Amino acid sequence: MIGSSVVFRARSWTVLLLGLLTTASPAALAAECPGHPDALGTSRTLVVDPREHPRIGTMQYRETLPLKDHEVVLTFDDGPLPKYSNQVLQILANECIKATFFIIGEQAKANPEGVRKLVAAGHTVGTHSMTHPLTMNRMPIEKAEAEINGGIEWTSAAMTDPSKLAPFFRIPGLMRADGVENYLISRGIQVWSADFPADDWRHVSPDRVYQLAIQRLEAKGKGILLLHDIQARTVAALPKIIRDLKARGYRIVHVVPATADQPATPTTAVEWLLHPPTETTPIVRWPQVPNFVFAQTATLPAPGLADLGAETARQPQVLPRKTMAQADIASTLPAPGRDLFAIPEGSIEVLLSTTLSRRAATRLAMAAEAPRAGKDKAGKIRGQRTARGAHPAARHATAPRPTRVATSVKKRA
C-alpha cells in the first residue's frame, strides 16, 4: 500500500510539473533572449485596430493604449540616422526589445537601408511626415496632406515589402489640428501622441533624459514613452533606462496593427483609459447633465388630496367645503405665459426699484397722465404749463404718491 501510494504521488507530481511547463512555455519563450539571459525582453504583443481607436496618447487625447500596470511601449521619432539609429537598434537587440519607430520621409529617402534594418529586426515602422514641419497645426490642409503622403511614400518605397508599413502616424512636435487628424482617420491611420516624454530633443544631459523618463513613468505607472533615435544623449541614456525598467518590474509591450490574418487583441472600452475609474474611486467632477427636451403643454396638473397624504374619509376636516368644491371642478391649472414675467427695460416698475430713479419715475407718470398737447401753438403752451406746474393740484395728484411712500419708509427705517 505504501509503495503504491508513493508511486501514485510521484506520477501525480510528474503530470503536474509537465502541465506547468507546457502552460508556461509561451511566456518562457517570450522572455528568452539568446546570449543575454538577463535581458528585459518583450513581454507580449498588442494588436490594435486603428479604426476602432483612432487617437491615442494622454498627452493630448482621452484614450491611450490598453496597457496593464507596469507595461511600457517604447517609441522613437525622427530617424533613421545611421550614426545613432544603428546604436539604438543594437541596444534594443541586446535586450530583445521590440519598439515602434516613426520615420521622416526625407530620412527614409536618404537612408533606405536604415528602414529595412528596422523591419528586419521586427520593429513596428510608422511615419512622421516628409520634412518634420512644426506648423501642421496652422498650415493649409493641402500642404499637410502632402507632408503626410510624402512621408508614407518614401518610407514604404524604402521597404522590400511595403505592406510592413504600419498605419501609425505621429504629428511632428505633436502640433495637432482637427483637419490633419480627420484626414489621417479617413485613411484608416491611427494618430499617436504619447503618455510622457523624456525631453531628449532638448539640450540636456543623458542623465537628465534618464531621470525624466523614469520619474514620469513612475508618476503614471504605465504608458507610451516618447524618445528620439537621432540624439547622442538618447543613445547614452537608453541602456540605463532599460536597466532601471527591469529593476522596477516594468515590462515591454510591442504594438502592431491588426490585419486580416491577425485580428485585434480583445479589449474593453475602459481599458483604453490610462486610469480606468472604479467603484471605490471618487469622481473629480459632477457628471454632465444631459439636455432634456420638455413637452410643450398648455396646462399643468393640479395637486390632489392624495398628494397631500390626506385620507378620503377625513377630506372635509382637511379642507373647507368651498375649497373642496373648487378642487373637484378644476383638475388643471393654467400655465403662466412668458409675458407675465417680462418687465420692459426703462419702465416705471424698474425705475421705482432704485432710490435714484424715483424722480425719473415721477416725471414719466406725470407725462403719461397729463393732457395731450395740441398741434397748434396755444396747445403746446397749455401742455407745457400743465406739466411744469401751472396747476399745482394736478401735479400733486399725479406724482406725490411714490415720493411720499419712499419718504415714509425712510423715516420708519
Side-chain angles (χ1 to χ4, degrees):
M1 293 293 292
I2 296 176
S4 60
S5 176
V6 171
V7 172
F8 176 77
R9 290 179 181 179
R11 290 178 179 176
S12 300
W13 279 108
T14 302
V15 172
L16 179 60
L17 289 173
L18 288 174
L20 290 174
L21 289 173
T22 305
T23 306
S25 58
L29 291 173
E32 288 178 358
C33 189
H36 302 276
D38 297 329
L40 177 58
T42 301
S43 65
R44 69 183 179 109
T45 299
L46 176 65
V47 186
V48 300
D49 188 344
R51 297 168 297 179
E52 295 181 356
H53 300 274
R55 302 177 181 89
I56 58 171
T58 54
M59 285 182 67
Q60 294 176 297
Y61 308 118
R62 179 174 178 268
E63 289 188 335
T64 188
L65 291 172
L67 303 177
K68 301 174 184 177
D69 186 49
H70 276 64
E71 286 189 337
V72 186
V73 173
L74 298 183
T75 64
F76 296 88
D77 290 3
D78 297 355
L81 190 63
K83 183 177 181 179
Y84 301 117
S85 298
N86 289 339
Q87 296 182 65
V88 169
L89 270 176
Q90 188 60 51
I91 293 171
L92 297 179
N94 292 340
E95 297 288 340
C96 289
I97 291 175
K98 297 295 186 291
T100 301
F101 289 80
F102 293 94
I103 305 302
I104 295 178
E106 285 188 340
Q107 300 282 53
K109 181 179 179 181
N111 182 36
E113 182 63 25
V115 178
R116 290 191 284 271
K117 285 183 179 181
L118 294 174
V119 176
H123 298 290
T124 299
V125 177
T127 55
H128 197 40
S129 81
M130 182 64 188
T131 64
H132 198 282
L134 297 177
T135 56
M136 290 192 74
N137 58 329
R138 58 181 185 272
M139 68 171 51
I141 187 62
E142 295 80 12
K143 188 175 180 181
E145 291 177 4
E147 281 285 344
I148 295 169
N149 296 332
I152 293 174
E153 290 173 5
W154 280 104
T155 304
S156 59
M159 297 179 174
T160 305
D161 182 5
S163 65
K164 296 294 185 180
L165 180 63
F168 298 161
F169 185 88
R170 179 173 277 158
I171 299 174
L174 303 183
M175 300 295 181
R176 61 161 302 275
D178 291 337
V180 175
E181 292 173 359
N182 292 337
Y183 175 72
L184 290 165
I185 294 171
S186 68
R187 293 190 54 182
I189 299 174
Q190 191 174 48
V191 184
W192 280 54
S193 181
D195 293 316
F196 49 92
D199 292 3
D200 58 340
W201 68 91
R202 301 183 185 274
H203 295 289
V204 297
S205 65
D207 192 58
R208 184 57 178 163
V209 173
Y210 153 75
Q211 291 174 2
L212 290 175
I214 298 301
Q215 288 174 5
R216 291 169 177 173
L217 173 57
E218 288 281 83
K220 292 197 172 184
K222 60 181 178 180
I224 306 169
L225 174 58
L226 172 59
L227 295 169
H228 296 77
D229 61 324
I230 63 169
Q231 301 290 346
R233 61 183 66 91
T234 307
V235 174
L238 187 57
K240 192 174 181 180
I241 292 174
I242 293 174
R243 286 197 301 267
D244 215 4
L245 290 178
K246 183 177 181 182
R248 295 170 184 262
Y250 285 92
R251 301 174 303 279
I252 300 296
V253 174
H254 183 210
V255 184
V256 298
T259 62
D261 300 329
Q262 191 175 25
T265 302
T267 58
T268 60
V270 74
E271 292 181 82
W272 291 79
L273 303 177
L274 185 66
H275 297 296
T278 63
E279 295 181 356
T280 59
T281 303
I283 59 175
V284 296
R285 61 181 64 88
W286 287 103
Q288 185 177 3
V289 178
N291 296 323
F292 293 103
V293 178
F294 296 94
Q296 302 294 327
T297 57
T299 59
L300 300 175
L305 291 178
D307 299 327
L308 304 177
E311 298 179 4
T312 307
R314 300 180 61 183
Q315 285 182 5
Q317 299 178 7
V318 176
L319 296 174
R321 292 182 179 180
K322 184 177 181 181
T323 306
M324 289 288 299
Q326 293 176 350
D328 294 338
I329 295 172
S331 59
T332 59
L333 297 176
R338 288 187 177 181
D339 55 349
L340 179 64
F341 305 99
I343 301 177
E345 191 69 25
S347 64
I348 296 177
E349 291 83 354
V350 175
L351 293 173
L352 285 175
S353 63
T354 61
T355 304
L356 296 177
S357 302
R358 290 195 183 96
R359 291 184 180 179
T362 301
R363 288 196 297 270
L364 286 175
M366 291 174 61
E369 296 183 9
R372 199 167 189 180
K375 295 183 180 180
D376 58 334
K377 185 177 182 180
K380 291 180 180 178
I381 294 174
R382 285 197 299 271
Q384 291 175 0
R385 287 179 181 175
T386 303
R388 293 182 180 179
H391 303 285
R395 181 187 65 188
H396 289 296
T398 57
R401 187 170 301 277
T403 306
R404 288 179 181 177
V405 171
T407 305
S408 62
V409 171
K410 286 182 178 180
K411 290 180 180 180
R412 290 179 183 176

